[in-house]
Structure formats: C-alpha cells, structure tokens
Amino acid sequence: MIIRINGAALPDIGGGVIDNVTETITGIISRVLGETATGIITALNAYSPEIITFGVIVCALGMMVAPIVGNNGKWMGRMFLTFWVGVIWRVLT
C-alpha cells in the first residue's frame, strides 16, 4: 500500500499487519461473493423449466382475471415474452 502525504510517497516498510488483514478479508469476501453468484446461477439454470412454466401460468391467470376486474391489460404480450425468453434461456444453457 502506498501512503502519500502532500503528494510525496512515504517509503514502503514492507507488508504490514494491516495489509495482510485487508488482503485476507477482501480475499474471503470476493471468494464468498463469487461462490454465491455461481450457486445462484446454477440453481436458476437447474430450475429454469419450473420458473418458465410458473411465469406462463401467472400470465395465463392474468389473462383470465383481467377482464373480470375491468382491466384488459397486456397479459398476452407478457405471456409470449415470458415464453420466448424461456425458450432462448433453455437453448443457451
């Protein structure tokens, strides 16, 4: 770590305790965040058929309920969007 006072760099006295602690903490945090992101992506890919089916069912329910409530909405477009995003998702994974 370079410490500057008024633009002048202080001499490095060689990896101090604070540097080691900081590097350890940042290493642990980055490893945990990386593993968490990888786990979430893996779970989403593993359960993508169920997620896509649930999205299409919710849109179908919206298409059935919207006229009753008086709002014709855009549920058909949402259903097609969900369907095609799901198809592309499954093809790419």
Side-chain angles (χ1 to χ4, degrees), residues 32-47:
V32 166
L33 289 176
E35 290 174 1
T36 301
T38 303
I40 289 171
I41 291 170
T42 302
L44 286 174
N45 287 335
Y47 294 109

Side-chain angles (χ1 to χ4, degrees), residues 14-91:
V17 175
I18 294 176
D19 289 338
N20 291 336
V21 169
T22 305
E23 289 176 9
T24 303
I25 290 172
T26 56
I28 290 171
I29 290 173
S30 66
R31 193 169 40 251
V32 166
L33 289 176
E35 290 174 1
T36 301
T38 303
I40 289 171
I41 291 170
T42 302
L44 286 174
N45 287 335
Y47 294 109
S48 64
E50 289 85 2
I51 295 169
I52 297 163
T53 303
F54 180 72
V56 170
I57 289 172
V58 167
C59 291
L61 289 173
M63 285 190 317
M64 288 186 265
V65 173
I68 296 171
V69 179
N71 179 10
N72 287 332
K74 301 174 183 169
W75 288 102
M76 181 69 89
R78 292 174 185 162
M79 185 175 70
F80 283 122
L81 179 69
T82 303
F83 174 75
W84 284 111
V85 167
V87 167
I88 293 168
W89 182 10
R90 290 301 298 162
V91 166

